[in-house]
Amino acid sequence: MRAHAADLIGKRLAPAEPRNDGRQTPYRGHPVFVAQHATATCCRGCLAKWHGIAKGHELTADERAYVVGVICDWIAKQLAV
Ligand SMILES: [Zn+2]
């Protein structure tokens, strides 16, 4: 799951100007997508607003790891319920 999340983040969220930013994360499908909406990591606008990660630069390794951690924590909590 963690590797999958890292892969999705790297493709959809990490570029400085992601394609379709704000709409790049489907609401259904992969559990990671659901988690992204639940944790405000779905687009760069939400990342900037809720997580203090500015738009307009490519995500660093630390920032990617942080986002993946947030997503995986949320999924782990859902599975524990
Ligand atoms: Zn968003």
Side-chain angles (χ1 to χ4, degrees):
M1 182 61 79
R2 192 166 284 268
H4 207 129
D7 186 49
L8 290 172
I9 296 308
K11 285 201 192 106
R12 290 170 180 268
L13 215 56
E17 298 192 7
R19 213 164 5 134
N20 297 326
D21 196 27
R23 289 181 289 120
Q24 74 267 58
T25 306
Y27 279 87
R28 293 163 171 277
H30 201 279
V32 168
F33 295 149
V34 179
Q36 283 184 266
H37 287 287
T39 58
T41 57
C42 56
C43 65
R44 295 300 293 267
C46 293
L47 273 185
K49 191 170 170 195
W50 300 99
H51 297 280
I53 298 174
K55 288 189 195 187
H57 71 284
E58 193 175 338
L59 292 183
T60 64
D62 279 356
E63 288 164 344
R64 290 185 205 200
Y66 167 79
V67 171
V68 170
V70 168
I71 290 168
C72 289
D73 284 355
W74 185 86
I75 292 173
K77 269 185 216 145
Q78 301 308 301
L79 295 177
V81 168

